[in-house]
Amino acid sequence: MKIQQNFSLKNHNTFGVDVSAKFFAEVTSSDELFEAINHSKTQSFPMLFLGGGSNVLFTKDFEGAVIQLDLKGVSEEIINENEVLVTSKAGENWHEFVHYSLGKNYGGLENLSLIPGNVGTSPMQNIGAYGTEIKDTFVSCKVLNLGTLEVEEFNHEKCRFGYRESIFKREGKGKYVILEVTFKLTRKDHFIKTEYGAIQSELKKSGIENPTIQDVSKAVISIRQSKLPDPKMIGNAGSFFKNPSVPMVQFLEVQKRYPEIPNYPNGDLVKIPAGWLIEQCGWKGKQIGNVASHELQALVIVNATGNATGKEIFDFSTKIIDSVKEKFGIELEREVNIV
């Protein structure tokens, strides 16, 4: 393992923000991970563990050690004729892992195709799309406790999944490193989820009436590519804000003023698309300096010129939050981790 000093992170975050880490190490094994951690602790450096860099916004240089997790490997354990456990190391690319599963005809992850990032960060966010979330197929994950340097196993309950939430984003933040994740997938009796209108429209356009999991994946990929910018072409972190959920009473008050507001009732709460709220405030396609709200999806903030600083992007997001709060009385929450 090589530890590099004053290392540029420009190519290690999908916003393409040019910041540096005082120390940087890329680890490919447990031994290298322990070595990097021990080195950092010996020097009393703060540590930041990086996956694919797709859900982080650096607002300044990191005055410590950034450790890139590049642990690779996928294994399987067949449970019965219809179920299989598939375990992936943290450093595997998420979409490539989904593609691997589909190649084996394993169902359960197809609606999560083309989500950026690595497998190791997927439980942190409880990533989700088109009616599916990680928690639906998640079984367990092995984590390294940074306090004890012992490997622990977190089951579904211990992870405390919520909407784009988990223990790793709340009370466990900075205390654990996810090493590998295990999912339970189907082998033949797949539960096809196509209730989202966009998926139905895409399948209909292709003349598909009885879709396979591969068909659903292709539809999701087509939808995402039509709406979301490729980070390789223009810096972004996908959806920058969570879709807010508000009490029914509050929603009804907003609906009186805006009858056309899209909504998804969920028990006592109502989920409202953040992209719609942002677009109604006039942000879609709007650019200030080096930063813009994407022209096709207001929920996505982009490094429009390639020269934006993290602070510029953060300040731009604050302006959006303020304008939505002023117009609708709803406060948006950033989904992206701010460093």
Side-chain angles (χ1 to χ4, degrees), residues 198-214:
I199 293 180
Q200 293 176 8
S201 299
E202 196 67 31
L203 293 171
K204 186 176 181 180
K205 190 164 56 176
S206 301
I208 299 171
E209 295 183 0
N210 298 300
T212 64
I213 54 175
Q214 289 80 8

Side-chain angles (χ1 to χ4, degrees), residues 122-165:
S122 62
M124 294 178 66
Q125 288 287 112
N126 183 25
I127 60 172
Y130 303 105
T132 300
E133 292 179 314
I134 277 296
K135 66 179 180 60
D136 301 332
T137 52
F138 177 92
V139 174
S140 64
C141 61
K142 286 186 178 177
V143 306
L144 179 65
N145 184 317
L146 292 172
T148 64
L149 292 186
E150 297 289 330
V151 175
E152 302 177 14
E153 187 163 320
F154 277 47
N155 60 17
H156 200 286
E157 182 180 5
K158 197 171 180 180
C159 285
R160 301 181 195 171
F161 291 122
Y163 172 60
R164 302 297 177 268
E165 290 287 351

